[in-house]
Amino acid sequence: RENKRCLPGIKIPLEINFTTSMAEALEEAEVAVMAVPSKAVRATAQKMKDYLQPSTIIVNVAKGVEEETLLRLSQVIESVLPNPVVVLSGPSHAEEVARHIPTTVTVSSQDMKYAYEIQDLFMDMYFRVYTNEDLIGIEIGGALKNVIALAAGVVEGMGFGDNTKAALMTRGIAEMTRLGIAMGGKPNTFAGLTGIGDLIVTCTSGHSRNRRAGELIGQGYTMDEAIQKVNMVVEGVPTTKAGYALMQKYQVEMPILNAIYKV
C-alpha cells in the first residue's frame, strides 16, 4: 500500500480499494476523479462512458489544453460524456497533501451546484476548498503556469538568480492573464489560487516536474532527455504547443511562452 516512486513513505489507507477494472471502479460511483495526463483525458472519458451513471459527477484534476483541438479539459470531457464536470485546481503537490500539509484549492463548474457538492465532500481541516465561477480562467491559469514553470527551471539551470526568476514569474502571470481574458476569463482569477498561487508553487518547489525539466534543459539536456530524467508526466511540454497555438489564435503577445516554444 505504498507508491514507492511517487509517494515514498505514504501508506495508502485501508479504506481505499485498488482495481484495474473500469467497470468495478465506476459501478454506482457518485463521484469519479479523473487524475490522468491531459493527453489521456479524452481516451479515458471514452472508456468510462459505458460504466457511468448519468448522475455521476466527474472531477477533473489534470491541468492542460488538448493539443489537437485547443479545448480546455472540461470541454474535452463534456464532448464525450453527458455527466456534470467539476474542475479542481490550485497549488497542491500530492507529496504534501498526502502528508496532511495545509493546502488550498479551487473548484468550478458550468453548474456551480456541483462545485458546491465537491467543496463539501473534499473539505477538511488541512485541505481547504474555495469555489470560483470563472471556469475558463481557472483552467487556463492551471494549464499555462506549467509553461512558465518550465521557463523558471531553464533560467535556474542556466545559473541565473532570484532576480531573474522573480521577473520571469511576474511577467509570466501577465502573459497568462492576457490570454485568459482574451478567451473569456476574468482578470481577478489570475490573482488567486489557480493563477499566482499555482505559479508560485510550480516555479519554486522541488516537487515541480515542470521546473525540474526546465532546469535540466537549462543545463544543456534535450527536451526528451529532460523528460526521461524526470520520469513523470511533464504537462508543460504539450501545453507549450497548445499555448503557442492559442497565442496565435487570439493574437495575444506572450514573449515568454514564445521563447519556451522555440526552445
Side-chain angles (χ1 to χ4, degrees):
R1 304 192 75 81
E2 182 183 353
N3 185 333
K4 285 183 166 37
R5 183 168 71 87
C6 297
L7 291 173
I10 301 295
K11 292 295 181 186
I12 297 171
L14 294 172
E15 294 86 351
I16 295 177
N17 299 317
F18 302 100
T19 180
T20 56
S21 163
M22 189 75 80
E24 186 180 344
L26 296 176
E27 186 182 16
E28 297 181 4
E30 294 176 30
V31 175
V33 178
M34 287 183 71
V36 299
S38 61
K39 65 181 180 181
V41 166
R42 183 178 293 277
T44 305
Q46 287 168 337
K47 289 177 185 175
M48 294 166 71
K49 198 171 185 178
D50 294 336
Y51 307 110
L52 285 168
Q53 306 290 325
S55 60
T56 303
I57 301 171
I58 309 296
V59 180
N60 178 55
V61 299
K63 297 172 182 177
V65 176
E66 189 171 56
E67 197 177 329
E68 298 79 14
T69 64
L70 302 184
L71 292 174
R72 304 188 322 274
L73 297 184
S74 67
Q75 293 176 305
V76 174
I77 299 167
E78 287 164 353
S79 71
V80 177
L81 299 172
N83 301 70
V85 179
V86 173
V87 169
L88 184 148
S89 191
S92 52
H93 286 305
E95 295 88 345
E96 295 188 3
V97 176
R99 290 177 170 80
H100 295 189
I101 290 172
T103 300
T104 56
V105 296
T106 303
V107 289
S108 188
S109 179
Q110 295 262 42
D111 187 336
M112 287 301 292
K113 76 178 182 185
Y114 298 111
Y116 297 134
E117 282 187 46
I118 297 304
Q119 179 186 38
D120 290 341
L121 181 64
F122 279 46
M123 180 96 79
D124 65 18
M125 289 294 289
Y126 67 90
F127 195 76
R128 184 172 180 83
V129 184
Y130 289 87
T131 59
N132 186 330
E133 295 182 5
D134 182 16
L135 182 59
I136 295 172
I138 283 173
E139 289 193 278
I140 294 303
L144 290 181
K145 56 89 186 180
N146 286 328
V147 180
I148 307 303
L150 274 176
V154 169
V155 300
E156 200 164 298
M158 292 173 70
F160 296 138
D162 294 338
N163 293 357
T164 317
K165 189 183 285 187
L168 184 91
M169 291 169 65
T170 307
R171 298 314 306 160
I173 196 72
E175 291 190 18
M176 291 163 54
T177 305
R178 277 201 294 268
L179 181 59
I181 292 170
M183 293 178 67
K186 297 174 183 174
N188 286 351
T189 300
F190 295 89
L193 289 169
T194 57
I196 193 68
D198 216 348
L199 186 70
I200 289 168
V201 82
T202 313
C203 288
T204 62
S205 172
H207 297 311
S208 171
R209 307 164 190 178
N210 293 281
R211 188 202 58 79
R212 177 63 182 143
E215 188 178 1
L216 291 165
I217 292 169
Q219 291 168 354
Y221 290 91
T222 67
M223 184 184 74
D224 290 336
E225 287 169 345
I227 292 170
Q228 194 170 7
K229 276 182 136 351
V230 172
N231 198 26
M232 291 186 196
V233 175
V234 180
E235 288 285 13
V237 173
T239 304
T240 298
K241 297 172 185 175
Y244 184 80
L246 287 168
M247 176 186 78
Q248 293 181 310
K249 179 180 178 181
Y250 289 95
Q251 298 183 317
V252 175
E253 189 180 350
M254 302 181 73
I256 297 171
L257 187 146
N258 190 44
I260 289 296
Y261 179 80
K262 287 177 180 177
V263 171

